[in-house]
Amino acid sequence: MDIELLKTFIEVTQTRHFGRAAHRLFLTPAAVSARIRQLEQTLGTPLFYRARGNIQMTGEGQRLLPHAQRMLDAWAEARRDLAGETEVSRHLSLGATPGLWHFALGEVSSRLHRALPDLVLGAEAYPQEELLERLRAEQLDLVVLYDRPGDADLKARAIGQLDLALLASEPGLELKTALAGDYIYVDWGAAFALFHARHCGDVQTRLRTNQASVALDRLRQVQGSAYLPQALAGSGLLYPVADAPEFHRPLYAAFRAEQEFNPVLGQVLDVLAESAPESA
């Protein structure tokens, strides 16, 4: 069986979209579609129900998924072994959202390599829902999240928190003035939405985003405000709005339950707890 066909199959199961799978695999959508057809022909059964914008796995596709992942894991282990990498356990793949990599975990790779010089680290960025999917599918070993997962097969450890403050591109603003100006709503999740409704009310905004970096880029161009990591205050660009309430988002590192006593994972968790932002 062609390993690349299985890689393509797993990517389509994750994205449920040939175009997005093609983007991640650096292929054309036509090539992805052709690989899936070839795999279906090899196995003699359809793996997906194809509808425009809504690709779903068939029952056969769902049964194939865990086998495909095990085959890819075995292939990767064989390649490492043949390359002379005998300590497979020293490989670890760490996932987080793009925002967490940018604002909370920027130095974590350097800290990990200082603490574990022989660690081979994979650092990947995905939306939170996809992080959990990839963790369950054993495509990632450890993920950093804003919310503790409710899955009984996953464990989580609190490693710190991200402190958010209303920051403005000009000093001396009060909450009412900041919200009445060019305010940018950054979506920090359901808990933040409740906090925001309680403390800020129904604010008119011309920009809503779930990417803090987009808000930050906007504030470099215009005068405005947004809830952003408190650590950005005092940079010469952003200033805290003095009477605005702060919001604190806990950070969790999640992993599969069977990995709980993995010594390498434990060392990485310790470094993450030392590296992640802490409460003020």
Side-chain angles (χ1 to χ4, degrees):
M1 172 100 36
D2 188 341
I3 290 295
E4 294 303 319
L5 300 184
L6 294 179
K7 287 182 180 178
T8 305
F9 167 72
I10 288 176
E11 211 52 65
V12 174
T13 67
Q14 294 290 336
T15 62
R16 302 298 173 93
H17 193 280
F18 285 173
R20 286 193 288 271
H23 178 73
R24 291 183 182 178
L25 294 168
F26 301 100
L27 297 170
T28 65
V32 168
S33 181
R35 285 185 177 185
I36 296 299
R37 283 198 305 272
Q38 183 180 346
L39 183 59
E40 290 175 328
Q41 290 168 1
T42 300
L43 296 173
T45 186
L47 300 173
F48 295 99
Y49 297 114
R50 293 164 174 80
R52 186 175 181 84
N54 184 26
I55 295 175
Q56 299 293 328
M57 277 190 289
T58 63
E60 292 80 6
Q62 292 173 352
R63 290 197 292 274
L64 174 63
L65 182 57
H67 297 292
Q69 187 57 60
R70 284 194 292 270
M71 291 172 71
L72 288 182
D73 290 343
W75 176 249
E77 185 172 341
R79 291 186 63 183
R80 288 195 294 265
D81 186 49
L82 291 173
E85 298 176 6
T86 57
E87 292 192 58
V88 175
S89 63
R90 306 303 288 183
H91 291 73
L92 184 132
S93 55
L94 173 63
T97 64
L100 277 176
W101 278 119
H102 186 77
F103 293 110
L105 302 174
E107 298 181 3
V108 74
S109 62
S110 297
R111 289 176 181 266
L112 283 171
H113 285 132
R114 285 197 295 270
L116 301 165
D118 58 343
L119 177 70
V120 179
L121 177 68
E124 302 186 35
Y126 299 101
Q128 178 157 309
E129 296 78 10
E130 187 167 346
L131 288 172
L132 288 172
E133 290 180 6
R134 287 179 176 267
L135 181 63
R136 295 186 188 101
E138 300 185 15
Q139 295 174 337
L140 292 171
D141 299 307
L142 188 65
V143 300
V144 179
L145 309 165
Y146 293 121
D147 302 302
R148 185 188 295 272
D151 193 324
D153 294 329
L154 301 179
K155 298 281 187 178
R157 173 175 164 182
I159 59 169
Q161 72 178 30
L162 188 63
D163 298 322
L164 304 177
L166 184 58
L167 304 181
S169 51
E170 55 182 313
L173 293 185
E174 295 182 350
L175 176 62
K176 185 176 181 180
T177 305
L179 295 178
D182 196 344
Y183 175 70
I184 302 165
Y185 182 84
V186 181
D187 182 4
W188 293 98
F192 175 77
L194 293 173
F195 160 88
H196 191 272
R198 183 168 63 251
H199 293 285
C200 303
D202 186 14
V203 182
Q204 297 296 317
T205 178
R206 292 163 56 190
L207 176 60
R208 299 175 66 93
T209 178
N210 62 0
Q211 297 292 325
S213 57
V214 172
L216 187 59
D217 288 341
R218 171 77 173 173
L219 292 177
R220 290 192 178 106
Q221 302 171 25
V222 301
Q223 289 188 340
S225 63
Y227 266 95
L228 292 168
Q230 192 178 50
L232 294 174
S235 62
L237 171 66
L238 298 174
Y239 307 89
V241 176
D243 61 338
E246 297 177 359
F247 180 76
H248 307 290
R249 288 214 68 168
L251 298 178
Y252 298 96
F255 49 92
R256 294 182 298 282
E258 69 268 19
Q259 294 292 316
E260 185 171 8
F261 301 106
N262 182 318
V264 175
L265 185 68
Q267 290 175 289
V268 171
L269 285 169
D270 289 340
V271 174
L272 285 176
E274 295 169 2
S275 306
E278 296 181 353
S279 175

